[in-house]
Amino acid sequence: MAPSADLDLDLLGLTPDEVSAAVWWVADGRRLSGHRAVARALRELGGGWGLVGRVIAVPPLVWLGGPVYRWVAANRSRFG
């Protein structure tokens, strides 16, 4: 994981607006954003977090991921 300021966004095929709007996971030619990127990052952490990442990536939880992610992103200042 790296801050967008440290990355070559052109190389990754991302724009500054995209990285400002959501978290991204870019690896092996795949680009995941938002809740799907979070699920992938959690899987990489392994252990209990890996299990959480796997669980939230399958239906029906994955269907709720988009709205939940957007709500958290819109209200992130409330989370300290």
Side-chain angles (χ1 to χ4, degrees), residues 15-35:
T15 67
D17 288 339
E18 287 174 321
V19 297
S20 294
V23 64
W24 285 84
W25 181 272
V26 180
D28 303 324
R30 283 187 72 192
R31 297 179 336 140
L32 304 172
S33 68
H35 67 289

Side-chain angles (χ1 to χ4, degrees), residues 48-74:
W49 289 117
L51 179 60
V52 171
R54 284 179 180 76
V55 169
I56 65 173
V58 297
L61 295 179
V62 71
W63 302 329
L64 300 172
V68 170
Y69 179 86
R70 286 188 295 276
W71 182 83
V72 169

